[in-house]
Amino acid sequence: MNLWIPSLWTSATLVPLPVLLCLTGAGLALVFQRHPRAQRAIAMTTLILMVLVAALLLVLSDRGAIVAVIGNWAAPVGIALVADRLSALMLLISSIVLVCVLWYAMAQGIGDGSNIGRSEAERQDLLPVAIYHPTFLILAAGVANAFLAGDLFNLYVGFEVLLAASYVLLTIGGTRDRIRAGSIYVVVALVSSLVFLAAVSMIYAATGTLNLAHLALRLPDIDPSVRLGLQLMLLLAFGIKAAIFPLSAWLPDSYPTAPAPVTAVFAGLLTKVGVYSIIRTQTLLFPSPDVGSVWVDRLLLVLALFTMVVGILGAVAQDDIKRLLSFTLVSHIGYMVFAISLADGQGAENLGATAAAIFYVIHHITVQTALFLVVGLVERRGGSTSLDRLGGLAKLAPGIAVLFFLPAMNLAGIPPLSGFLGKVGIITAGAQVGHPLAWVLVVGSVVTSLLTLYALVKAWNKAFWQDAPDDVLVEKAGDKAPRGMYAAATALVTVSLALTVFAGPVHNYAGRAATGLIDGRSYVEAVFPGGTENADDTGVRDQEVADDDGFDEEVHQGAGVKGTGAQGADHG
Amino acid sequence: MPQGLSAFMQDATIVSSMVPSAVLVLAVGVFVAAGVYLILERSLTRVLLGFVLIGNGVNIMLLLAGGQAGVAPIIGTDNGESMSDPLAQAMMLTSIVITLAMVAFLSAMAYRSWQLYGHDEVQDDIEDARVARHAHRGEAAYTDLDAMDLAWTLDDEAAEVHDDYDIDDGAAAEASPVVAVASPAAPPAARFGASRQGGQQ
């Protein structure tokens, strides 16, 4: 039995840790419900550990995807958790963002702008802080599970976990506005979950498996029209979650009513989980360049154009910064969809497009979250987020002004910031593909970038640069925000600037992640180290499989598991 | 039957028919259709009922995905040939539990909505309606002091800033275009004076 102990601690042990840590942390935080300090310590420790684990995974998965099969049953019987480069990168950036947001929320004490004028006791009374930390950790667990899932049903469960947590966070306190906005959000999210579940059951009926690697092997064999239907069902489900036009109307209505840290984490992470799922399923499950797939790509291109343009026109019309930012969020999802729709194929331009999509997702997570955190500071200081009731903040709070200006310019894509680099990557990929529709999209994305600049500069002028309207006395509004809020927002802005400085290494990593995605075989081989032809076989495995990029991938799956009685999981 | 699928079925370890029960297929259709009708309603309670119906429909779909019913999938009860698919049942159970939790949350939200508003209707986006009204009237989305026609030129303002413009001289003030400024735009002196004062408080 001693032989088991070293085999327990391999790189595969790390893979389920982000999910386990967060769930354990959530449980502990619930136990210490009446001890806010202990609760904060637990939440912060958990998320910092998650950052460390994610960083380790990032380094280790660069040598090849790490697979952990739960219960040590080999895939496809056991539920596989896969950390390849894309998963690890998404996990690391999400956990960093989660730490910053948690820090901000702790400093803020979950009282937000809508409670200005109330005493501290009233705020405590109004918002049940005790449930904030456990729910936040469950959200983190759901996000981590979705990124690591190597199984379509596990992806669904990850989505449900993060959505259930998001329902609670969005309606936290149960005030009038939040119930009104929350009911729209909840109903839309429930419908998307049902669509996803229906897609899962159809895929299972058609292929007899839900393991992503197994599906990648089996989906090419089924009837193309059935496959097209399955692809569209999945895109519909993920499209609602990622807020792709015309499925995006729910987002600008529901996000702005939540407290700033909640909106920030939603804007940064939840839509990106949808985008991640689209990248994963489009590249791994539906890579074949058949007729149906080409039409899906065209459809995605058109939808990307509308997402960008309609979203940003909505942003231009808004007079509230939170809503303005929600619309820019929708609009910039369009860039990612544009890049994803170019990613289908095996050429160098497809590789470039995939890398650009990944880089843009990473950039957008940090920038959008940072902007929402800074708007929380604006709300504190200026007492409002309405542009008609703000002004002169550049003089009053130069720190906030700088913190707003940098990510705003980054989002608009001003050189040399990471937003510029991301957009250049996507536009270059579009130009390389050279399809007429791709050129339309290139023009569309440049116009969207300019309109983003216009909307954000207008917000900057109204809130920071211009004098306040005479009837608004800024000084009477909120007091100075706690230092921790500034520090957390500064940290996240610094992270987004670091993405500019270290754009080279990050982009190279994204490129290697894209190589793995475009190829697909490395993912399948990592999950089925014994070879794909006997994928249904289970047995003892501890071997190295040569990666196609020349890297050796290490797959440790423990030892001594027999596959008796396991055949039930894999049949039609 | 798609070619790939039939080829796959030949390799399948369990020889249960893929042809599902027509009654269950019909039930899925009825559940989902009724659910969609209900979910399109305004009242959260009806949306809740619609969600329950669609949820049940989709759960039955998961069961159907497992193929025809057979004996309980326990080792030893059978040689594996007429077992029903345990995975589909496991997934169905998971999704039933998730649906239950969501129903609980949705009913709590409907109740809270009733507490706050006296009804449980899903309301339109208020902000959106307000912005749309602005657009309909042809107004600017928000007041923009910079973009207003203030009837005084940059030269006047520059003179004002450099203090070589005698504002106390009544005749000069009357002659200057500042007087012609219509409300709400105040003369530059008043505007800047007020805000400067405000900034020092």
Side-chain angles (χ1 to χ4, degrees):
Chain A
M1 291 300 278
N2 281 340
L3 287 173
W4 283 63
I5 291 162
S7 69
L8 275 176
W9 293 99
T10 61
S11 53
T13 320
L14 285 173
V15 179
L17 268 187
V19 184
L20 288 179
L21 275 172
C22 292
L23 286 180
T24 316
L28 281 176
L30 261 185
V31 170
F32 290 101
Q33 207 169 2
R34 295 180 191 285
H35 308 278
R37 251 185 221 170
Q39 221 185 24
R40 287 171 188 196
I42 290 166
M44 198 36 120
T45 316
T46 309
L47 288 183
I48 286 175
L49 282 175
M50 185 176 163
V51 172
L52 294 178
V53 171
L56 261 176
L57 279 177
L58 185 82
V59 176
L60 290 174
S61 66
D62 202 16
R63 292 188 290 166
I66 312 168
V67 182
V69 277
I70 304 303
N72 235 344
W73 296 100
V77 175
I79 298 169
L81 291 176
V82 185
D84 67 345
R85 296 188 190 100
L86 175 62
S87 301
L89 193 58
M90 296 294 286
L91 201 62
L92 179 64
I93 205 76
S94 311
S95 47
I96 291 174
V97 163
L98 284 166
V99 166
C100 290
V101 173
L102 185 71
W103 185 8
Y104 183 96
M106 281 178 180
Q108 186 190 19
I110 317 304
D112 68 309
S114 62
N115 298 313
I116 281 172
R118 294 173 193 275
S119 70
E120 200 59 39
E122 275 176 313
R123 282 184 202 173
Q124 294 280 338
D125 194 38
L126 200 66
L127 296 164
V129 183
I131 61 154
Y132 177 78
H133 290 118
T135 317
F136 193 80
L137 288 176
I138 288 175
L139 182 87
V143 170
N145 193 24
F147 287 149
L148 291 171
D151 182 285
L152 215 49
F153 195 76
N154 201 11
L155 183 64
Y156 166 76
V157 173
F159 264 116
E160 286 303 309
V161 170
L162 76 90
L163 284 175
S166 77
Y167 303 154
V168 175
L169 287 176
L170 194 77
T171 55
I172 199 165
T175 58
R176 290 174 80 98
D177 272 355
R178 289 184 191 157
I179 289 292
R180 185 195 63 77
S183 50
I184 295 171
Y185 174 78
V186 172
V187 171
V188 171
L190 286 176
V191 169
S192 83
S193 294
L194 287 174
V195 173
F196 189 11
L197 191 61
V200 163
S201 75
M202 286 176 191
I203 288 175
Y204 187 68
T207 63
T209 182
L210 287 174
N211 183 297
L212 287 176
H214 210 186
L215 278 175
L217 295 175
R218 285 194 177 175
L219 274 173
D221 291 338
I222 69 170
D223 189 77
S225 53
V226 174
R227 188 168 63 232
L228 182 63
L230 299 178
Q231 187 179 9
L232 288 176
M233 282 288 280
L234 280 182
L235 276 179
L236 180 62
F238 298 145
I240 298 175
K241 290 177 209 287
I244 296 170
F245 182 84
L247 309 169
S248 58
W250 56 272
L251 191 147
D253 186 26
S254 52
Y255 277 18
T257 52
V262 171
T263 314
V265 76
F266 280 21
L269 297 183
L270 295 202
T271 49
K272 304 310 178 302
V273 180
V275 172
Y276 162 83
S277 308
I278 294 177
I279 295 180
R280 177 67 76 200
T281 51
Q282 284 291 102
T283 55
L284 184 64
L285 301 188
F286 306 101
S288 53
D290 62 5
V291 184
S293 191
V294 169
W295 279 108
V296 170
D297 288 336
R298 300 259 167 90
L299 177 73
L300 277 180
L301 274 176
V302 174
L303 291 182
L305 181 67
F306 277 100
T307 311
M308 287 195 283
V309 174
V310 173
I312 202 62
L313 289 178
V316 168
Q318 300 307 311
D319 60 358
D320 181 287
I321 307 186
K322 277 186 172 183
R323 283 177 62 86
L324 189 151
L325 286 179
S326 301
F327 274 100
T328 63
L329 167 63
V330 172
S331 161
H332 284 241
I333 296 289
Y335 282 99
M336 298 164 214
V337 178
F338 175 27
I340 293 167
S341 59
L342 297 175
D344 206 358
Q346 304 284 334
E349 69 274 12
N350 307 117
L351 196 66
T354 317
I358 297 170
F359 185 80
Y360 203 85
V361 171
I362 301 294
H363 144 78
H364 198 253
I365 288 178
T366 54
V367 166
Q368 196 76 46
T369 313
L371 273 172
F372 271 108
L373 288 187
V374 175
V375 166
L377 289 175
V378 169
E379 191 173 15
R380 261 295 169 97
R381 197 71 183 92
S384 171
T385 53
S386 166
L387 290 173
D388 280 339
R389 304 198 57 79
L390 285 171
L393 278 175
K395 201 190 286 174
L396 193 69
I400 300 180
V402 173
L403 285 180
F404 180 82
F405 190 74
L406 288 174
M409 291 303 109
N410 201 344
L411 185 68
I414 297 295
L417 297 166
S418 59
F420 170 73
L421 301 173
K423 288 183 179 70
V424 165
I426 293 174
I427 288 170
T428 313
Q432 276 174 349
V433 168
H435 188 269
L437 200 55
W439 279 108
V440 174
L441 262 288
V442 167
V443 174
S445 52
V446 173
V447 169
T448 306
S449 176
L450 285 174
L451 284 174
T452 309
L453 185 64
Y454 170 71
L456 288 171
V457 165
K458 235 178 166 181
W460 162 262
N461 274 344
K462 285 293 293 178
F464 293 94
W465 210 235
Q466 197 165 269
D467 290 308
D470 291 342
D471 56 330
V472 179
L473 286 175
V474 177
E475 287 73 23
K476 279 195 178 173
D479 38 48
K480 271 201 166 181
R483 274 198 194 142
M485 287 169 73
Y486 283 101
T490 311
L492 201 54
V493 172
T494 314
V495 170
S496 69
L497 291 181
L499 270 184
T500 309
V501 179
F502 299 106
V506 174
H507 194 269
N508 286 344
Y509 196 92
R512 291 200 296 281
T515 316
L517 287 178
I518 291 287
D519 184 26
R521 270 176 303 174
S522 54
Y523 188 96
V524 174
E525 280 165 11
V527 177
F528 298 117
T532 49
E533 61 280 352
N534 53 354
D536 297 339
D537 184 40
T538 56
V540 184
R541 242 142 245 184
D542 192 5
Q543 53 184 290
E544 296 192 350
V545 180
D547 201 350
D548 282 298
D549 324 333
F551 291 101
D552 279 339
E553 57 189 7
E554 290 177 15
V555 186
H556 304 276
Q557 297 208 1
V561 175
K562 283 185 183 172
T564 50
Q567 72 270 43
D570 184 56
H571 61 80
Chain B
M1 179 68 67
Q3 204 177 4
L5 193 56
S6 53
F8 161 73
M9 277 172 53
Q10 281 160 12
D11 320 341
T13 44
I14 290 184
V15 199
S16 67
S17 165
M18 272 295 286
V19 182
S21 148
V23 178
L24 286 182
V25 175
L26 205 67
V28 172
V30 172
F31 274 139
V32 173
V36 167
Y37 177 78
L38 280 173
I39 233 168
L40 293 173
E41 292 273 342
R42 283 260 164 184
S43 154
L44 263 183
T45 318
R46 291 188 188 187
V47 170
L48 173 71
L49 292 175
F51 173 71
V52 171
L53 283 181
I54 302 185
N56 285 344
V58 174
N59 283 336
I60 295 175
M61 242 169 97
L62 271 174
L63 187 70
L64 286 173
Q68 218 172 37
V71 296
I74 300 168
I75 302 167
T77 51
D78 193 64
N79 59 1
E81 292 208 344
S82 57
M83 278 183 182
S84 50
D85 184 355
L87 190 58
Q89 297 179 8
M91 291 192 294
M92 190 185 170
L93 270 177
T94 313
S95 89
I96 286 174
V97 173
I98 292 172
T99 314
L100 174 77
M102 295 303 150
V103 167
F105 186 84
L106 204 55
S107 28
M109 208 166 66
Y111 179 68
R112 179 70 180 157
S113 179
W114 176 78
Q115 269 188 331
L116 288 169
Y117 292 101
H119 61 75
D120 65 346
E121 283 181 10
V122 180
Q123 287 166 309
D124 286 332
D125 187 350
I126 301 167
E127 221 9 61
D128 204 33
R130 195 180 60 76
V131 172
R133 267 203 308 280
H134 270 291
H136 186 68
R137 285 197 236 112
E139 290 171 4
Y142 43 79
T143 54
D144 188 349
L145 297 180
D146 283 346
M148 279 182 183
D149 183 18
L150 292 172
W152 44 268
T153 62
L154 202 61
D155 289 340
D156 296 326
E157 200 175 330
E160 170 65 23
V161 169
H162 286 111
D163 265 355
D164 58 358
Y165 188 99
D166 193 3
I167 196 79
D168 293 325
D169 189 341
E174 245 170 76
S176 81
V178 171
V179 180
V181 172
S183 177
R191 267 183 67 228
F192 286 110
S195 59
R196 211 171 284 148
Q197 228 175 2
Q200 282 157 1
Q201 270 172 9

